[in-house]
Amino acid sequence: MNSDCQRRQFLAKLSAIIATGSFGAWSAQQCDAADDVVSTGRSLPGMEAFDELMQQFFQKNKPLGASLAVAYQGRLTYAKGFGFADLDGKHPVQPTSLFRIASLSKPITAVAVMKLAQDGKVGLDQPIVPLLELDFLPKDPAEWADPRLAEISVRQCLQHTAGFDMAVSGDPFAMSRPVRVALDVEFPLSKEDLLQFALTRKLDFDPGHKHAYANIGYLMLGRLIEQRSGQTYEEYVQQNILHPLGIRRMQLARTLKEDAAEGEVQYRDAKGRTGANVLELESTDWVPFPYGIERIENISSAGGWLASAVDVTRFASQLAYPHRRPLLTKQSLEQMLGAPQIRGPQPDWQGAYYGCGWVVRPAEGMPLPWSYWHTGQLAGVSTLLVARADGVCFAVLFNQDFAPDGQTLAGHIDPLLHPPANGVGRWPAGDLFDRYL
């Protein structure tokens, strides 16, 4: 089995973990599609195969809208929007349209933590819970609900080996009503409420003995960034990670449609689900899932960023091909992308593993020693970010979650993006980042 196929199998497994719920009915309205898909943006010569791919993909899978950016060795060669940014189909997606990027936020948080470690403000193997200064925990760890909480390290939170397994005990972000009842608090919940709910229960396994994808570790990391930097999580990331890369429009998402950022798309839940809001609004009308079923502000460091495809492609490609001073040293980059040390049974990932904030596959005989990537999934959102060992980097963001067959849109498009990249005989000179940043 070749490495691309193995990588896609692992990606599919990770996407299944990130996605929640099962696919429901597909409405007739969602199946309507024009023969020609509206597109905006620019590309350098030789990128035409990506245009053809996106046209065919839209005709077959019927997403509302998408944005695709492609870079080679740190230079942006393709940046286009496809389909529509709004539910009424009146405004096309632009290359700079902002999307909720869901769990693509985790690599951003990971780089921020690595930067703090690089600057000597935190150690990756330090126990993290004592650093968070949480008022709801007794000072003596022996009095905690689970004394093993004192063993969890910063690195284990980054690598999803901290002892939390949302497949076992659930994801506090998606459990607003049980959290409210357990803590006897009112809506809207805060990130502190989610941390209290998670850290006053038993862990699901001994820290370091298993890999299990869980958002709570990344919420802890967001709190850590604030404690060790003296800034809000958003301010630290913007000032120390994004702005040095020329990324100025990325910000944390807001839940309500009326609070959308300038240039942000609207989101379509393919299942058409509605429910009671968790924001304690005066209206008792049920709301669409992307706009109030969960409070996106609470998942900030685990899945709450807004970005364009150009932004996240810049972020990922500049880690390996910095135009100016690199964000991370070679040693920090190697630590971030290194394999986890799991003391229990090793997962069968066919050569891939989850490092610090990235899924990683080592590579030999390539310009880079690894490929690294991540997916994201929320109601109305499906995202993919890939940095290949040959220097190709691409991101595709959808403002819809599933295709008609029930598979995530990111899962569908991932294997289709590699042949056009492989078919570029000579990558064009030039760089579109200056135009779109």
Side-chain angles (χ1 to χ4, degrees):
M1 183 180 294
N2 64 45
S3 61
D4 277 345
C5 180
Q6 292 173 336
R7 192 186 68 79
R8 291 195 297 271
Q9 286 185 356
F10 181 83
L11 182 105
K13 293 178 182 178
L14 182 65
S15 296
I17 295 172
I18 296 172
T20 58
S22 60
F23 185 75
W26 187 262
S27 70
Q29 180 182 1
Q30 290 170 313
C31 289
D32 294 335
D35 291 336
D36 295 321
V37 180
V38 62
S39 66
T40 63
R42 293 188 61 185
S43 64
L44 298 180
M47 300 288 103
E48 293 80 10
F50 289 103
D51 290 328
E52 182 178 352
L53 162 64
M54 293 301 289
Q55 291 287 332
Q56 293 175 353
F57 187 86
F58 264 70
Q59 291 168 11
K60 180 178 180 180
N61 296 287
K62 315 299 188 295
L64 175 60
S67 185
L68 172 64
V70 183
Y72 181 69
Q73 295 188 348
R75 296 180 294 103
L76 186 66
T77 61
Y78 185 101
K80 291 194 177 184
F82 297 87
F84 295 103
D86 62 309
L87 297 173
D88 295 328
K90 295 180 179 179
H91 302 94
V93 174
Q94 302 293 328
T96 53
S97 292
L98 296 176
F99 291 70
R100 296 175 180 176
I101 62 171
S103 285
L104 300 196
S105 302
K106 290 182 174 69
I108 295 165
T109 297
V111 170
V113 172
M114 297 304 299
K115 182 71 166 58
L116 283 175
Q118 183 174 283
D119 293 343
K121 295 182 179 180
V122 70
L124 294 182
D125 295 313
Q126 273 188 273
I128 187 173
V129 176
L131 300 177
L132 303 184
E133 300 181 9
L134 299 167
D135 292 337
F136 58 80
L137 287 178
K139 291 185 178 180
D140 184 357
E143 299 178 18
W144 293 355
D146 192 331
R148 293 176 297 175
L149 289 166
E151 303 171 17
I152 299 172
S153 71
V154 174
R155 193 190 305 268
Q156 287 167 347
C157 286
L158 287 165
Q159 296 176 339
H160 294 296
T161 61
F164 307 101
D165 188 344
M166 66 185 191
V168 175
S169 58
D171 180 1
F173 172 71
M175 300 168 63
S176 292
R177 284 175 173 77
V179 171
R180 182 181 67 169
V181 171
L183 301 183
D184 192 21
V185 295
E186 297 298 325
F187 285 151
L189 300 179
S190 67
K191 289 184 290 238
E192 186 93 353
D193 292 329
L194 302 191
L195 287 171
Q196 180 174 352
F197 180 77
L199 299 181
T200 52
R201 297 192 299 169
K202 291 285 187 181
L203 290 173
D204 298 312
F205 58 90
D206 291 337
H209 284 254
K210 177 182 173 183
H211 174 277
Y213 195 89
N215 285 319
I216 193 64
Y218 274 78
L219 294 184
M220 294 166 64
L221 292 168
R223 174 65 177 249
L224 175 72
I225 290 168
E226 294 182 336
Q227 292 297 108
R228 307 311 282 181
S229 71
Q231 299 177 274
T232 68
Y233 165 76
E234 184 176 31
E235 288 171 344
Y236 180 83
V237 171
Q238 287 174 334
Q239 294 176 17
N240 294 275
I241 306 302
L242 303 177
H243 291 178
L245 300 179
I247 301 170
R248 295 283 175 176
R249 296 176 64 237
M250 281 184 62
Q251 58 196 280
L252 292 178
R254 305 283 298 277
T255 300
L256 297 178
K257 188 184 296 184
E258 55 264 35
D259 293 332
E262 182 179 357
E264 182 182 353
V265 301
Q266 295 177 2
Y267 306 96
R268 183 167 73 185
D269 173 24
K271 306 170 189 178
R273 297 168 295 178
T274 60
N277 76 76
V278 298
L279 302 178
E280 201 64 10
L281 303 179
E282 292 182 4
S283 172
T284 59
D285 294 338
W286 281 23
V287 296
F289 260 43
Y291 295 108
I293 295 302
E294 299 298 347
R295 188 168 184 252
I296 198 168
E297 289 88 344
N298 283 343
I299 202 172
S300 57
S301 52
W305 281 98
L306 290 175
S308 70
V310 171
D311 291 335
V312 291
T313 301
R314 174 76 163 194
F315 162 74
S317 63
Q318 290 289 298
L319 291 175
Y321 295 97
H323 284 182
R324 298 182 178 89
R325 183 178 178 180
L327 284 177
L328 299 180
T329 64
K330 180 181 178 182
Q331 181 182 12
S332 294
L333 192 61
E334 289 174 347
Q335 283 198 74
M336 182 174 69
L337 299 176
Q341 300 299 311
I342 299 175
R343 294 192 288 273
Q346 300 298 306
D348 180 15
W349 289 342
Q350 300 176 330
Y353 54 81
Y354 199 102
C356 294
W358 297 92
V359 188
V360 183
R361 182 181 299 284
E364 295 182 4
M366 303 291 284
L368 298 176
W370 354 250
S371 294
Y372 46 99
W373 68 92
H374 214 290
T375 61
Q377 193 75 23
L378 288 170
V381 175
S382 188
T383 58
L384 171 69
L385 175 60
V386 176
R388 303 195 329 182
D390 60 358
V392 176
C393 180
F394 55 76
V396 60
L397 312 178
F398 293 98
N399 56 345
Q400 182 174 307
D401 37 21
F402 297 101
D405 66 357
Q407 186 175 347
T408 65
L409 289 165
H412 260 312
I413 204 168
D414 173 54
L416 304 178
L417 284 165
H418 295 276
N422 297 339
V424 178
R426 183 181 181 88
W427 285 84
D431 188 354
L432 297 174
F433 273 130
D434 290 339
R435 177 181 180 87
Y436 288 113
L437 290 178

